[in-house]
Amino acid sequence: ISYCSEKTSSMMAAAKMKVLFVCVCFLAQSLAQNLELPRLPYEYDGLEPHVDEETMRVHHLGHHAAYLATVNNVLSMLRSNETTKPLAKMGIDKLLQNLDQVPTEHVTPLRNGGGGFVNHFLFWKCMSPNGTRFEMDDVFGKAVTAQFGSIQALLQEFREKATKLFGSGWTWLVLEHSTKRLYITTTPNQDTPAMQVGHIPILGLDLWEHAYYLKHQNKRAEYISSFFNVIDWKATAARYEEALKQPKTEL
């Protein structure tokens, strides 16, 4: 009897461990399928005095995290339905290019949450403490000179479009892969140029008021100038060269 009791207890313990293992594996798989909030490539005060620490904390931990929660919620709902599960497996970039395949009730939160997530994911990488030097003689520098005339002309056009953008949105420097053309454009809300296949943003500026109001209030022009002081041109050039290598059908 004693042996049987120990054996039964052992079997029950083993069963519990098996259930726990399955639950842990399920949770790990679920978490692995979720997008994660990226770490900033610098400290929250790393862009001072151009971008203030308080804004960076609220922007990253508040707004970016909120977009992340929205898109992860949509992805979770897509995964829970056998019909829409393949959509969740597309990856967020490709999914944003195929919103016409998404059930109507999920389109707006996916467009806003997913766009907000990928836009900010790039935005943090567009900046570095005190910025980096624009190199006229590298591949990107030569492309800028050939297509805009000079870096000053590029920045002037960028400033003009950013200043004139009505309401909330973004200003972008984009590579059109099929023609190798660089162009500057704006998008409303959290839309991204990458929603159009072959249009690859390599530099972006967030023009929602949450990105600058704590420091600059309604003075958007001041914020744009501050952004110019922290542009990471080295990273932008690297993104440009990487984008040139991408197949036309990829982001």
Side-chain angles (χ1 to χ4, degrees):
I1 296 174
S2 176
Y3 172 75
C4 290
S5 296
E6 290 179 1
K7 183 177 180 180
T8 301
S9 177
S10 177
M11 291 174 63
M12 291 178 63
K16 289 180 180 178
M17 287 300 295
K18 185 175 181 179
V19 171
L20 179 60
F21 177 75
V22 171
C23 290
V24 170
C25 288
F26 179 79
L27 178 60
Q29 182 181 16
S30 177
L31 290 174
Q33 292 174 326
N34 282 339
L35 299 170
E36 297 181 353
L37 187 67
R39 290 177 60 88
L40 295 181
Y42 32 75
E43 299 298 325
Y44 286 109
D45 63 352
L47 302 179
E48 292 272 11
H50 310 293
V51 184
D52 61 291
E53 178 181 357
E54 185 178 5
T55 292
M56 288 299 300
R57 286 186 180 277
V58 173
H59 202 170
H60 180 241
L61 298 175
H63 294 279
H64 197 183
Y67 293 124
L68 172 64
T70 298
V71 70
N72 275 337
N73 184 53
V74 175
L75 291 175
S76 178
M77 288 188 284
L78 293 177
R79 286 194 297 268
S80 68
N81 186 308
E82 288 299 321
T83 303
T84 58
K85 185 180 291 186
L87 294 173
K89 294 181 178 180
M90 279 186 176
I92 185 60
D93 292 328
K94 193 170 183 180
L95 191 52
L96 287 170
Q97 293 176 341
N98 291 276
L99 290 174
D100 58 330
Q101 298 182 32
V102 175
T104 304
E105 65 271 22
H106 298 317
V107 170
T108 297
L110 182 59
R111 185 171 191 158
N112 293 338
F117 175 76
V118 299
N119 288 347
H120 287 86
F121 191 91
L122 172 62
F123 181 53
W124 311 132
K125 299 178 186 178
C126 291
M127 302 178 286
S128 66
N130 296 312
T132 56
R133 178 184 174 87
F134 174 80
E135 300 291 346
M136 293 181 57
D137 296 325
D138 63 15
V139 174
F140 174 65
K142 290 177 180 178
V144 167
T145 301
Q147 296 181 55
F148 293 93
S150 66
I151 185 59
Q152 289 77 19
L154 181 156
L155 289 174
Q156 180 60 32
E157 182 179 342
F158 196 100
R159 180 188 294 276
E160 289 175 359
K161 290 191 173 179
T163 302
K164 293 177 181 178
L165 176 67
F166 180 77
S168 300
W170 292 72
T171 300
W172 305 96
L173 176 63
V174 183
L175 171 68
E176 182 181 22
H177 188 276
S178 62
T179 63
K180 311 303 184 212
R181 177 178 68 99
L182 284 168
Y183 68 94
I184 297 170
T185 190
T186 60
T187 57
N189 302 316
Q190 291 297 344
D191 284 359
T192 167
M195 293 167 71
Q196 187 175 355
V197 176
H199 291 251
I200 308 166
I202 61 172
L203 181 70
L205 174 59
D206 186 352
L207 290 167
W208 284 63
E209 287 188 341
H210 65 237
Y212 61 90
Y213 210 84
L214 290 178
K215 180 177 176 67
H216 298 287
Q217 288 79 52
N218 63 332
K219 301 170 185 173
R220 181 185 284 185
E222 286 185 3
Y223 166 62
I224 296 170
S225 294
S226 293
F227 174 70
F228 286 175
N229 287 325
V230 294
I231 292 177
D232 191 338
W233 289 113
K234 183 177 180 180
T236 303
R239 281 192 294 274
Y240 172 76
E241 293 192 41
E242 183 63 28
L244 288 174
K245 302 174 186 176
Q246 294 185 23
K248 294 181 181 180
T249 56
E250 297 292 334
L251 288 178

